[in-house]
Amino acid sequence: MGSSSSLLSDAPPEVLNDLRCTNCHELLTCPPIMWYPELGNICGRCPQEAYNDGVRNTAFEALAKLQSLPCRFKNVEGCSEILKWEQVKNHEYTCDFRNHACPTFDQSCQWNGRKGELQEHYKEKHVKLFTYLAQSTSHRRSRRNADERSAVAETEFTGAKKQRLNLASVTSE
């Protein structure tokens, strides 16, 4: 008999409420799941150093490994990925639907958006930085092309030199 997995998010809402982190209120989909007497279950996304007396909830983790789990950005942002327990944390970190704060050091910038929107944000709000990055990327690309041309030329030169050495040794014999 083959094993089947079910989608955790298909559970009734009253069941899902019991399967949420008491700190961030996301589904308990990232290990380690720690249980605290005063707090309940805390997921692996949340910092747990401040809490004492936690016990790893290995029973819940074992059951969660049998489930197909949605990305946490499914309902709000639209990610359709269905993941295995081991994939969730890495996927959520790299998910295209995840929002990011502006990565510049401009403290006044309150932008928050997806990776795909970052370039447009730079064009609109950080023109000097965008121009610098565009020029820097262009320079790196042309430098890389020059390095590649140089490597090809060196290989061709070395090959021609070896051929001449081989011809010279054949003719001297």
Side-chain angles (χ1 to χ4, degrees):
M1 184 161 96
S3 68
S4 67
S5 62
S6 61
L7 185 59
L8 184 63
S9 62
D10 289 340
E14 59 275 5
V15 172
L16 284 180
N17 287 335
D18 291 335
L19 302 177
R20 294 190 181 279
C21 173
T22 55
N23 188 42
C24 70
H25 307 290
E26 295 288 342
L27 288 175
L28 294 166
T29 56
C30 284
I33 306 300
M34 300 295 287
W35 180 81
Y36 297 90
E38 300 83 31
L39 301 169
N41 288 306
I42 304 287
C43 74
R45 291 182 200 93
C46 296
Q48 299 179 11
E49 295 81 27
Y51 306 117
N52 294 321
D53 303 325
V55 177
R56 188 156 185 177
N57 193 339
T58 55
F60 178 85
E61 289 181 7
L63 290 172
K65 288 178 185 177
L66 303 174
Q67 302 295 310
S68 296
L69 307 166
C71 172
R72 73 189 271 197
F73 305 112
K74 175 185 178 185
N75 295 333
V76 178
E77 303 296 335
C79 182
S80 61
E81 291 289 323
I82 303 299
L83 309 154
K84 293 180 180 179
W85 173 261
E86 301 83 24
Q87 299 171 316
V88 172
K89 202 169 196 176
N90 186 51
H91 169 77
E92 289 180 356
Y93 183 73
T94 60
C95 182
D96 290 336
F97 291 92
R98 174 182 177 209
N99 278 340
H100 302 270
C102 180
T104 65
F105 294 106
D106 181 356
Q107 299 294 326
S108 66
C109 185
Q110 299 298 309
W111 181 83
N112 198 0
R114 296 180 185 165
K115 284 189 289 189
E117 300 166 343
L118 187 58
Q119 186 174 5
E120 191 62 34
H121 167 67
Y122 279 179
K123 281 183 192 177
E124 291 176 9
K125 301 293 182 189
H126 307 288
V127 177
K128 289 181 182 178
L129 178 62
F130 177 77
T131 304
Y132 170 77
L133 290 173
Q135 290 172 347
S136 176
T137 301
S138 175
H139 174 73
R140 279 195 309 268
R141 195 175 300 126
S142 65
R143 178 68 192 165
R144 186 171 47 240
N145 290 341
D147 289 345
E148 288 170 2
R149 286 192 303 271
S150 177
V152 168
E154 185 176 330
T155 302
E156 290 173 354
F157 174 77
T158 305
K161 189 174 177 182
K162 284 181 181 177
Q163 283 181 337
R164 275 184 280 164
L165 289 173
N166 287 340
L167 284 174
S169 66
V170 169
T171 55
S172 66
E173 292 177 358

